Amino acid sequence: MAELEKLFDHQRDDPDFLKVLIAELSERTVPRAQELKRRAIQAVGTNSRTAPQQRNHSQNQDATATVAVSTPGAATPLPQTDVKEYPLPEKAAIPLVSRPALERPPITNKAADVLSTWTAMEVLSPPSFRKPEDLTSGDRSRIAPLDKPYLPWENKGERSRPKQKLYYQIILGSVDMEAAISALLQVYTDSRIERPAARGEAVLATIMVDREGRPVEDDCVAISSFGWGMPVALAGRLSDLGTWSQVERHLVEELSQKVVAKDKEGRPKPLTRKSIEAAHRWLVVKIGIDSHFTKAPAFAVRSYQYFKLQDPPEAILLNSFFLEDLARAQALVADGKATGNFKRYIGTTKPKARRNLMSDNRAIADALEPAKFPLGSWPGNGRHPLAMLQQCAVNLTLHDLKTEGIVAVNGPPGTGKTTLLRDVVAAIVTNRAELLCSFSDPKDALSASGQKLKRGNSFIHLYKLDDKLRGHEIIVASSNNKAVENVSAELPGMGAIAEEATGLRYFKTVSDALLGRDSWGVIAAVLGNARNRSDFRQTFWWDEDVGFQRYLQQASGNPQLIEEKTETGTRRRPPRIVAQENAPEDHDEALRRWGTARLRFTKALAQAKTALTDLQEIHDLLIAFAKGQVAIATVDSEITSLQPLLERSAHLAQAAALLHQKQRPNVETLERDATVAMRSRPGFLGRLFRTAAYRRWQAEHGALLTSLIEARSKLALLKNAADAKSAEHSRLAGDVERLRKSHASLIAALEQNRQRHASLVRQYPGTSISEDFFERRHADKQKTAPWLDEKVPGFAMMFLRRRWHYIAHLSTRRHSQFGITLMH
């Protein structure tokens, strides 16, 4: 407070400084702070009712000085002073919190706003504990009290566990969750009928030190978002909660500087009780949380790391595990680099079309097209194919998500969601196995990365996989840890595969050790939290009896033996993974095994492809049936409609021909009369002098010629009409003939397709997706396994992948002292 009062005296005329000072003092309830707040309000000429509305929330990087506010972006932090200048008040009753004027940010569907809101919710959702051992999964022996005369690492310290390095995670105070939530509820209402109970404490921060009490080199500090976010929320600055990722970085840097002091040799000094208390006091003041909500450091957590690993263990989970991903998402949105899937998930990209698989038969038929079926399926007990909607989900997932996309599969417990997930896993593994088969020698799929790791006096050279073998990794993720663990632990279990699949084993020795029960292979692992990952790494790689590195050493030509003491002396035996997995002795043997496995797999794959090609033909034939029947019906209809026209045209052509024939004798008679008349024409003198006889003949002959011309014209017209009617009749007759030939051809093709279909159906007796299928009862359709039966696609990729490991490792062994190949 002395520092704040000093700043006020020097900058009482700066309105920006006064606004920030008032905002900070509003979070403090001690009389001295309230008095300074009254003076600051008086200095800006306002009152306590309007002051909260005038707080400056802009990100002003040019402010010359401010209090230790929660958001570094809001103002420049105070100059650092010694922690002893910030004495914490004595504990008293939990203070009542006055309700400030709350921000009411506009409601939008913009990605940045959605992410900011989501971040704010996660900031105020910390993990909590009721007893210290809750932080160690109930292991009380890992709790190291700090209230004893010596800290755990002082006075010669403590011994670690065998082959483990000891670290301490100092719990740098905690926040009383019940008191904190009660204070928040004084400001914000909770309208839910059943409010979640707020119990226990939330860790305020942790400091990671080694067994000598020295802070570790990297990331020695972790800070709780809740401890920072609570006073920000109490002040009504909800939008500031979305800036946690930026705030966290600055807080971690400053706290790290506070706790790390170097000795003459440049090593971090061991922490003392005084330095721990000072760090806690500094942090409480820095984030502006009232000390009535906090508890002082009281214990540390003992953490262990395998002695060969250089990195310290991970810090205890203080914050929502979504926060880091949300920060990355915010950065992508801000840079305009948001991925397509993120845009779909957040709702900024809408689906182009929606199809309801519960009612759209065409959509179901499209989803169940055999060409969309995967080449591999999971060999579950009974080897039953998937039900209709399960297969739809698998097909759409694999077909529509080749590059990106999201498929949502909804259903209550027990409806087969995990079952269909197995088939997705099987399909992806099968696709990758097919790519593995493109390498006659697996060493061709590996190339030097140029990177190496130093181990003792030698180096481990790292190799990279061919790009086409990448991108087949599978992550099972959920906000429910138990749900993920159930799936990850279920897939490798022996109960997940058919009893008769005795040849399906994939490093069972390792898998049994990881799972702690009978399993068939290392297809999945329970990871997630630090303990699970550490246990996996320890068992899968480093274990002397079942660790995979022992197997690879043996396969590299470096015999592995374990010495054991017995009643009669010492005996040497190979590790169980070497003996039980029958590691190859040399490169040539491994290559032979690879060739055998490759041949078996490609044969099985060819059979699966043939089967799906045949099923696709059945599908296409069913479509051809429907189209052919429509075509035949159309031709029949056209023939039927043309038949009356053909008959009428024949009648009209015949009538026109008859009229033409009747007119011809009239013309011929007039032509004869005209010829006879010409013979009786008067002579030259009569015509010259135009005698009465000539004039009489001329009149009669003129009338005859006129009649002849008219008769000839009528004959021509009748001929044209007859020709037109005849042509029309011929055209209609030709059309009918062509339609009859087309009808016959369609009938023949339909019959040929029926015969081919009958032949294929005898070979593949599964349920076809036809019009008849959709006439079934709803329940019957849902229970049906479309297309497939027990004879269609199998599962052989695990055998292949096992052989690939043999030869791939031996191939890298030829290029370096020791090689590691990590397969995903």
Side-chain angles (χ1 to χ4, degrees), residues 663 666-667 670-671 674 698-714:
Q663 180 63 17
N666 294 336
V667 173
L670 289 172
E671 287 176 344
Q698 187 180 35
E700 292 175 356
H701 185 262
L704 181 62
L705 287 178
T706 299
S707 297
L708 177 59
I709 291 171
E710 291 176 354
R712 285 176 174 173
S713 176
K714 183 177 181 180

PDB file of all heavy atoms in Angstrom, residues 663 666-667 670-671 674 698-714:
ATOM      1  N   GLN A 663     -57.759 -39.667-109.116  1.00  0.00           N
ATOM      2  CA  GLN A 663     -57.571 -38.438-109.888  1.00  0.00           C
ATOM      3  C   GLN A 663     -56.824 -38.704-111.186  1.00  0.00           C
ATOM      4  O   GLN A 663     -57.024 -37.990-112.181  1.00  0.00           O
ATOM      5  CB  GLN A 663     -56.809 -37.407-109.052  1.00  0.00           C
ATOM      6  CG  GLN A 663     -56.538 -36.092-109.729  1.00  0.00           C
ATOM      7  CD  GLN A 663     -57.814 -35.340-110.092  1.00  0.00           C
ATOM      8  OE1 GLN A 663     -58.905 -35.644-109.567  1.00  0.00           O
ATOM      9  NE2 GLN A 663     -57.716 -34.398-111.026  1.00  0.00           N
ATOM     10  N   ASN A 666     -58.920 -39.027-114.508  1.00  0.00           N
ATOM     11  CA  ASN A 666     -59.480 -37.737-114.957  1.00  0.00           C
ATOM     12  C   ASN A 666     -58.460 -36.962-115.770  1.00  0.00           C
ATOM     13  O   ASN A 666     -58.776 -36.362-116.808  1.00  0.00           O
ATOM     14  CB  ASN A 666     -59.920 -36.905-113.750  1.00  0.00           C
ATOM     15  CG  ASN A 666     -61.085 -37.554-113.007  1.00  0.00           C
ATOM     16  OD1 ASN A 666     -61.840 -38.352-113.602  1.00  0.00           O
ATOM     17  ND2 ASN A 666     -61.241 -37.217-111.732  1.00  0.00           N
ATOM     18  N   VAL A 667     -57.238 -36.955-115.301  1.00  0.00           N
ATOM     19  CA  VAL A 667     -56.190 -36.244-116.025  1.00  0.00           C
ATOM     20  C   VAL A 667     -55.945 -36.902-117.377  1.00  0.00           C
ATOM     21  O   VAL A 667     -55.774 -36.222-118.412  1.00  0.00           O
ATOM     22  CB  VAL A 667     -54.908 -36.207-115.186  1.00  0.00           C
ATOM     23  CG1 VAL A 667     -53.750 -35.616-115.991  1.00  0.00           C
ATOM     24  CG2 VAL A 667     -55.127 -35.417-113.906  1.00  0.00           C
ATOM     25  N   LEU A 670     -58.724 -35.991-119.875  1.00  0.00           N
ATOM     26  CA  LEU A 670     -58.579 -34.614-120.366  1.00  0.00           C
ATOM     27  C   LEU A 670     -57.399 -34.505-121.318  1.00  0.00           C
ATOM     28  O   LEU A 670     -57.438 -33.739-122.298  1.00  0.00           O
ATOM     29  CB  LEU A 670     -58.394 -33.652-119.179  1.00  0.00           C
ATOM     30  CG  LEU A 670     -59.639 -33.433-118.310  1.00  0.00           C
ATOM     31  CD1 LEU A 670     -59.288 -32.630-117.072  1.00  0.00           C
ATOM     32  CD2 LEU A 670     -60.720 -32.727-119.123  1.00  0.00           C
ATOM     33  N   GLU A 671     -56.348 -35.246-121.058  1.00  0.00           N
ATOM     34  CA  GLU A 671     -55.202 -35.206-121.980  1.00  0.00           C
ATOM     35  C   GLU A 671     -55.584 -35.775-123.354  1.00  0.00           C
ATOM     36  O   GLU A 671     -55.169 -35.252-124.409  1.00  0.00           O
ATOM     37  CB  GLU A 671     -54.042 -35.992-121.377  1.00  0.00           C
ATOM     38  CG  GLU A 671     -53.379 -35.272-120.204  1.00  0.00           C
ATOM     39  CD  GLU A 671     -52.302 -36.119-119.567  1.00  0.00           C
ATOM     40  OE1 GLU A 671     -52.279 -37.343-119.811  1.00  0.00           O
ATOM     41  OE2 GLU A 671     -51.477 -35.558-118.786  1.00  0.00           O
ATOM     42  N   ALA A 674     -57.753 -33.276-125.168  1.00  0.00           N
ATOM     43  CA  ALA A 674     -56.936 -32.158-125.655  1.00  0.00           C
ATOM     44  C   ALA A 674     -56.198 -32.564-126.921  1.00  0.00           C
ATOM     45  O   ALA A 674     -56.052 -31.761-127.871  1.00  0.00           O
ATOM     46  CB  ALA A 674     -55.953 -31.715-124.563  1.00  0.00           C
ATOM     47  N   GLN A 698     -61.410 -22.263-130.676  1.00  0.00           N
ATOM     48  CA  GLN A 698     -60.469 -21.705-129.700  1.00  0.00           C
ATOM     49  C   GLN A 698     -61.108 -21.633-128.309  1.00  0.00           C
ATOM     50  O   GLN A 698     -60.467 -21.928-127.305  1.00  0.00           O
ATOM     51  CB  GLN A 698     -60.013 -20.308-130.171  1.00  0.00           C
ATOM     52  CG  GLN A 698     -58.911 -19.724-129.318  1.00  0.00           C
ATOM     53  CD  GLN A 698     -58.472 -18.358-129.805  1.00  0.00           C
ATOM     54  OE1 GLN A 698     -59.313 -17.585-130.297  1.00  0.00           O
ATOM     55  NE2 GLN A 698     -57.165 -18.087-129.703  1.00  0.00           N
ATOM     56  N   ALA A 699     -62.405 -21.277-128.267  1.00  0.00           N
ATOM     57  CA  ALA A 699     -63.095 -21.188-126.973  1.00  0.00           C
ATOM     58  C   ALA A 699     -63.230 -22.567-126.348  1.00  0.00           C
ATOM     59  O   ALA A 699     -62.987 -22.750-125.135  1.00  0.00           O
ATOM     60  CB  ALA A 699     -64.465 -20.547-127.148  1.00  0.00           C
ATOM     61  N   GLU A 700     -63.618 -23.549-127.156  1.00  0.00           N
ATOM     62  CA  GLU A 700     -63.794 -24.898-126.611  1.00  0.00           C
ATOM     63  C   GLU A 700     -62.451 -25.474-126.156  1.00  0.00           C
ATOM     64  O   GLU A 700     -62.337 -26.109-125.095  1.00  0.00           O
ATOM     65  CB  GLU A 700     -64.423 -25.793-127.690  1.00  0.00           C
ATOM     66  CG  GLU A 700     -65.851 -25.416-128.016  1.00  0.00           C
ATOM     67  CD  GLU A 700     -66.415 -26.228-129.177  1.00  0.00           C
ATOM     68  OE1 GLU A 700     -65.612 -27.027-129.753  1.00  0.00           O
ATOM     69  OE2 GLU A 700     -67.592 -26.086-129.489  1.00  0.00           O
ATOM     70  N   HIS A 701     -61.392 -25.227-126.970  1.00  0.00           N
ATOM     71  CA  HIS A 701     -60.078 -25.781-126.635  1.00  0.00           C
ATOM     72  C   HIS A 701     -59.478 -25.100-125.388  1.00  0.00           C
ATOM     73  O   HIS A 701     -58.832 -25.730-124.521  1.00  0.00           O
ATOM     74  CB  HIS A 701     -59.118 -25.607-127.825  1.00  0.00           C
ATOM     75  CG  HIS A 701     -57.792 -26.255-127.596  1.00  0.00           C
ATOM     76  ND1 HIS A 701     -56.698 -25.554-127.161  1.00  0.00           N
ATOM     77  CD2 HIS A 701     -57.389 -27.553-127.722  1.00  0.00           C
ATOM     78  CE1 HIS A 701     -55.672 -26.391-127.016  1.00  0.00           C
ATOM     79  NE2 HIS A 701     -56.069 -27.633-127.384  1.00  0.00           N
ATOM     80  N   GLY A 702     -59.744 -23.799-125.249  1.00  0.00           N
ATOM     81  CA  GLY A 702     -59.242 -23.084-124.067  1.00  0.00           C
ATOM     82  C   GLY A 702     -59.865 -23.619-122.799  1.00  0.00           C
ATOM     83  O   GLY A 702     -59.189 -23.786-121.767  1.00  0.00           O
ATOM     84  N   ALA A 703     -61.160 -23.888-122.831  1.00  0.00           N
ATOM     85  CA  ALA A 703     -61.828 -24.432-121.654  1.00  0.00           C
ATOM     86  C   ALA A 703     -61.272 -25.802-121.309  1.00  0.00           C
ATOM     87  O   ALA A 703     -61.075 -26.160-120.141  1.00  0.00           O
ATOM     88  CB  ALA A 703     -63.333 -24.505-121.891  1.00  0.00           C
ATOM     89  N   LEU A 704     -60.963 -26.601-122.400  1.00  0.00           N
ATOM     90  CA  LEU A 704     -60.422 -27.939-122.171  1.00  0.00           C
ATOM     91  C   LEU A 704     -59.044 -27.856-121.521  1.00  0.00           C
ATOM     92  O   LEU A 704     -58.716 -28.610-120.584  1.00  0.00           O
ATOM     93  CB  LEU A 704     -60.354 -28.686-123.521  1.00  0.00           C
ATOM     94  CG  LEU A 704     -59.822 -30.131-123.451  1.00  0.00           C
ATOM     95  CD1 LEU A 704     -60.734 -30.995-122.577  1.00  0.00           C
ATOM     96  CD2 LEU A 704     -59.752 -30.718-124.881  1.00  0.00           C
ATOM     97  N   LEU A 705     -58.190 -26.924-121.978  1.00  0.00           N
ATOM     98  CA  LEU A 705     -56.832 -26.782-121.413  1.00  0.00           C
ATOM     99  C   LEU A 705     -56.894 -26.336-119.943  1.00  0.00           C
ATOM    100  O   LEU A 705     -56.106 -26.801-119.098  1.00  0.00           O
ATOM    101  CB  LEU A 705     -56.032 -25.767-122.224  1.00  0.00           C
ATOM    102  CG  LEU A 705     -55.562 -26.218-123.612  1.00  0.00           C
ATOM    103  CD1 LEU A 705     -54.836 -25.090-124.307  1.00  0.00           C
ATOM    104  CD2 LEU A 705     -54.687 -27.463-123.503  1.00  0.00           C
ATOM    105  N   THR A 706     -57.837 -25.429-119.671  1.00  0.00           N
ATOM    106  CA  THR A 706     -57.977 -24.984-118.267  1.00  0.00           C
ATOM    107  C   THR A 706     -58.336 -26.144-117.369  1.00  0.00           C
ATOM    108  O   THR A 706     -57.790 -26.307-116.259  1.00  0.00           O
ATOM    109  CB  THR A 706     -59.040 -23.891-118.156  1.00  0.00           C
ATOM    110  OG1 THR A 706     -58.637 -22.761-118.951  1.00  0.00           O
ATOM    111  CG2 THR A 706     -59.230 -23.445-116.719  1.00  0.00           C
ATOM    112  N   SER A 707     -59.258 -26.998-117.780  1.00  0.00           N
ATOM    113  CA  SER A 707     -59.652 -28.165-116.983  1.00  0.00           C
ATOM    114  C   SER A 707     -58.479 -29.115-116.810  1.00  0.00           C
ATOM    115  O   SER A 707     -58.284 -29.717-115.733  1.00  0.00           O
ATOM    116  CB  SER A 707     -60.825 -28.883-117.663  1.00  0.00           C
ATOM    117  OG  SER A 707     -61.950 -28.044-117.730  1.00  0.00           O
ATOM    118  N   LEU A 708     -57.668 -29.256-117.891  1.00  0.00           N
ATOM    119  CA  LEU A 708     -56.525 -30.164-117.811  1.00  0.00           C
ATOM    120  C   LEU A 708     -55.491 -29.656-116.802  1.00  0.00           C
ATOM    121  O   LEU A 708     -54.945 -30.420-115.992  1.00  0.00           O
ATOM    122  CB  LEU A 708     -55.889 -30.303-119.206  1.00  0.00           C
ATOM    123  CG  LEU A 708     -54.628 -31.182-119.268  1.00  0.00           C
ATOM    124  CD1 LEU A 708     -54.932 -32.606-118.792  1.00  0.00           C
ATOM    125  CD2 LEU A 708     -54.085 -31.197-120.702  1.00  0.00           C
ATOM    126  N   ILE A 709     -55.249 -28.353-116.836  1.00  0.00           N
ATOM    127  CA  ILE A 709     -54.262 -27.774-115.890  1.00  0.00           C
ATOM    128  C   ILE A 709     -54.728 -27.968-114.446  1.00  0.00           C
ATOM    129  O   ILE A 709     -53.960 -28.343-113.548  1.00  0.00           O
ATOM    130  CB  ILE A 709     -54.045 -26.295-116.212  1.00  0.00           C
ATOM    131  CG1 ILE A 709     -53.299 -26.156-117.550  1.00  0.00           C
ATOM    132  CG2 ILE A 709     -53.253 -25.593-115.093  1.00  0.00           C
ATOM    133  CD1 ILE A 709     -53.235 -24.732-118.060  1.00  0.00           C
ATOM    134  N   GLU A 710     -56.019 -27.693-114.244  1.00  0.00           N
ATOM    135  CA  GLU A 710     -56.557 -27.862-112.883  1.00  0.00           C
ATOM    136  C   GLU A 710     -56.485 -29.314-112.439  1.00  0.00           C
ATOM    137  O   GLU A 710     -56.168 -29.605-111.276  1.00  0.00           O
ATOM    138  CB  GLU A 710     -57.999 -27.361-112.852  1.00  0.00           C
ATOM    139  CG  GLU A 710     -58.118 -25.858-113.013  1.00  0.00           C
ATOM    140  CD  GLU A 710     -59.570 -25.411-113.071  1.00  0.00           C
ATOM    141  OE1 GLU A 710     -60.445 -26.298-113.092  1.00  0.00           O
ATOM    142  OE2 GLU A 710     -59.803 -24.186-113.042  1.00  0.00           O
ATOM    143  N   ALA A 711     -56.753 -30.224-113.358  1.00  0.00           N
ATOM    144  CA  ALA A 711     -56.718 -31.646-113.005  1.00  0.00           C
ATOM    145  C   ALA A 711     -55.290 -32.081-112.677  1.00  0.00           C
ATOM    146  O   ALA A 711     -55.040 -32.867-111.736  1.00  0.00           O
ATOM    147  CB  ALA A 711     -57.282 -32.478-114.144  1.00  0.00           C
ATOM    148  N   ARG A 712     -54.351 -31.626-113.490  1.00  0.00           N
ATOM    149  CA  ARG A 712     -52.950 -31.977-113.225  1.00  0.00           C
ATOM    150  C   ARG A 712     -52.466 -31.415-111.866  1.00  0.00           C
ATOM    151  O   ARG A 712     -51.747 -32.070-111.117  1.00  0.00           O
ATOM    152  CB  ARG A 712     -52.068 -31.452-114.341  1.00  0.00           C
ATOM    153  CG  ARG A 712     -52.166 -32.273-115.629  1.00  0.00           C
ATOM    154  CD  ARG A 712     -51.330 -31.638-116.716  1.00  0.00           C
ATOM    155  NE  ARG A 712     -51.290 -32.467-117.905  1.00  0.00           N
ATOM    156  CZ  ARG A 712     -50.730 -32.100-119.069  1.00  0.00           C
ATOM    157  NH1 ARG A 712     -50.187 -30.878-119.155  1.00  0.00           N
ATOM    158  NH2 ARG A 712     -50.747 -32.905-120.106  1.00  0.00           N
ATOM    159  N   SER A 713     -52.861 -30.157-111.553  1.00  0.00           N
ATOM    160  CA  SER A 713     -52.477 -29.551-110.275  1.00  0.00           C
ATOM    161  C   SER A 713     -53.050 -30.333-109.109  1.00  0.00           C
ATOM    162  O   SER A 713     -52.363 -30.587-108.106  1.00  0.00           O
ATOM    163  CB  SER A 713     -52.976 -28.109-110.239  1.00  0.00           C
ATOM    164  OG  SER A 713     -52.709 -27.519-108.990  1.00  0.00           O
ATOM    165  N   LYS A 714     -54.303 -30.740-109.251  1.00  0.00           N
ATOM    166  CA  LYS A 714     -54.923 -31.515-108.182  1.00  0.00           C
ATOM    167  C   LYS A 714     -54.230 -32.852-108.017  1.00  0.00           C
ATOM    168  O   LYS A 714     -54.017 -33.333-106.901  1.00  0.00           O
ATOM    169  CB  LYS A 714     -56.398 -31.703-108.507  1.00  0.00           C
ATOM    170  CG  LYS A 714     -57.150 -32.425-107.418  1.00  0.00           C
ATOM    171  CD  LYS A 714     -58.642 -32.517-107.746  1.00  0.00           C
ATOM    172  CE  LYS A 714     -59.393 -33.227-106.634  1.00  0.00           C
ATOM    173  NZ  LYS A 714     -60.838 -33.319-106.934  1.00  0.00           N
TER     174      LYS A 714
END
